[in-house]
Amino acid sequence: MPKAVIVGGSIMGLSCTHALLLAGWEAVVLEKSGEPPNKSPTGAGLGLDPTARRFIEPWISQPEFLDHLTLPLSIDQTLQNEATDPEKKVSWTLTRDEDFSFRAAHWADLHGLLHPALPPETIKWGHLFLSFTLYNDRSEVSVKAQVLHKGDTVEITGNLLVAADGCLPSIRQTFLPELKLRYSGYCAWRGVLDFSGQEDSETIIEIKKAYPDLGKCLYFDLSSGTHSVLYELLNKRLNWIWISLISCR
Ligand SMILES: Cc1cc2nc3c(=O)[nH]c(=O)nc-3n(C[C@H](O)[C@H](O)[C@H](O)COP(=O)(O)OP(=O)(O)OC[C@H]3O[C@@H](n4cnc5c(N)ncnc54)[C@H](O)[C@@H]3O)c2cc1C
């Protein structure tokens, strides 16, 4: 049976591992974090389209959990908001799609569905990828990783190496050393606001007044030089992304 070594045990690494197992591969995941993430109320939201859900459902033992852990995003609405301009505090709808069939997941909830559904011992927690060597005409790969709590190095062999180690991937740099990160013209911040127990606060009341379809709508809010994305997650959490265009001189 061919074997894959996947570096990175976040959403991409775990999704790839499930897909490979279903295709008849053996797989091992090297993840530098020492243990599975806890159910942190903060973090990130993810919008799952129907195709993503169709892929994920066969991977988890109880596919209905995907619905239980997500909120529907049945509307996609883009607003043009002039509220940041003190002269014109107005906003109007640019587009509104009522057939949007996404669902909103919290990163930790989705991860918590994906990792327990893998065979035991598939994920090697606390293993820091160090380097790899290709051999046998590139049909095999040997991966070196450091076991962080012990400090010793292990070597794992396979037939496929998957670089799911995030936005600064050391594996990609080996193949494309000349490829450098470039500033793309904007900066973005994102987070999740846990407002449980704060439902009647002025902030939440004002947010719900400005975005009345929260709970079923993905809002894009465009203003001059900036835009934001807002949607609600299960258990009284709001996912927000704020993007700001900053010129680089
Ligand atoms: C502000 C902001 C907004 C974003 N908005 C969106 C959006 O709207 N839609 C979207 O699709 N994406 C968005 N993204 C990007 C999104 O975060 C990434 O696409 C997603 O997290 C990538 O997941 P991943 O599994 O590939 O990598 P990551 O989640 O980065 O996971 C990488 C994993 O690899 C592990 N790792 C790293 N190095 C090693 C090593 N040497 N050894 C072992 N393990 C290692 C890490 O511990 C981590 O678990 C946004 C990002 C930001 C910052």
Side-chain angles (χ1 to χ4, degrees):
M1 192 187 286
K3 180 174 170 184
V5 183
I6 295 109
V7 180
S10 183
I11 300 298
M12 212 282 260
L14 298 193
S15 300
C16 188
T17 307
H18 276 289
L20 284 164
L21 291 176
L22 209 61
W25 284 66
E26 207 182 309
V28 61
V29 181
L30 303 175
E31 169 52 53
K32 67 180 179 183
S33 310
E35 53 189 29
N38 60 19
K39 294 264 173 193
S40 159
T42 55
L46 296 166
L48 299 177
D49 69 4
T51 310
R53 300 203 302 276
R54 222 173 31 248
F55 274 107
I56 295 168
E57 278 168 4
W59 300 340
I60 54 183
S61 50
Q62 288 163 295
E64 65 279 10
F65 276 19
L66 193 57
D67 273 358
H68 295 168
L69 284 175
T70 54
L71 280 187
L73 288 175
S74 49
I75 306 169
D76 176 28
Q77 182 168 341
T78 303
L79 298 165
Q80 175 74 51
N81 198 335
E82 295 288 344
T84 48
D85 179 338
E87 299 297 309
K88 300 184 249 162
K89 289 191 175 169
V90 289
S91 72
W92 64 94
T93 301
L94 293 178
T95 61
R96 185 174 165 95
D97 175 4
E98 305 239 1
D99 289 320
F100 196 59
S101 142
F102 276 50
R103 292 192 75 91
H106 187 259
W107 183 93
D109 292 339
L110 187 60
H111 195 274
L113 275 184
L114 293 177
H115 84 76
L118 288 170
E121 301 300 316
T122 303
I123 310 181
K124 306 289 179 206
W125 300 104
H127 281 55
L128 176 73
F129 164 86
L130 297 175
S131 63
F132 71 93
T133 316
L134 297 171
Y135 60 100
N136 263 354
D137 216 8
R138 299 167 75 100
S139 65
E140 288 182 73
V141 59
S142 169
V143 179
K144 273 197 185 142
Q146 187 179 16
V147 188
L148 291 174
H149 73 283
K150 290 195 205 149
D152 50 355
T153 303
V154 290
E155 209 160 327
I156 298 169
T157 54
N159 310 96
L160 176 69
L161 175 63
V162 177
D165 51 343
C167 64
L168 297 170
S170 44
I171 299 172
R172 191 197 301 160
Q173 272 162 19
T174 308
F175 287 109
L176 302 164
E178 71 293 346
L179 195 73
K180 301 276 179 282
L181 290 182
R182 276 186 308 146
Y183 178 61
S184 60
Y186 70 91
C187 291
W189 295 261
R190 73 173 176 194
V192 171
L193 171 70
D194 179 359
F195 64 94
S196 47
Q198 308 288 320
E199 293 87 333
D200 299 327
S201 68
E202 197 188 333
T203 306
I204 296 301
I205 289 170
E206 288 301 318
I207 289 176
K208 294 216 164 176
K209 209 190 287 175
Y211 305 99
D213 285 328
L214 273 177
K216 58 181 178 184
C217 182
L218 170 77
Y219 282 102
F220 277 90
D221 195 337
L222 311 179
S223 294
S224 175
T226 177
H227 75 270
S228 54
V229 181
L230 197 64
Y231 56 87
E232 192 167 342
L233 302 169
L234 199 67
N235 297 332
K236 313 277 178 212
R237 291 171 293 186
L238 278 182
N239 178 67
W240 59 268
I241 304 173
W242 176 42
I243 294 114
S244 180
L245 302 176
I246 300 171
S247 62
C248 190
R249 293 176 187 211

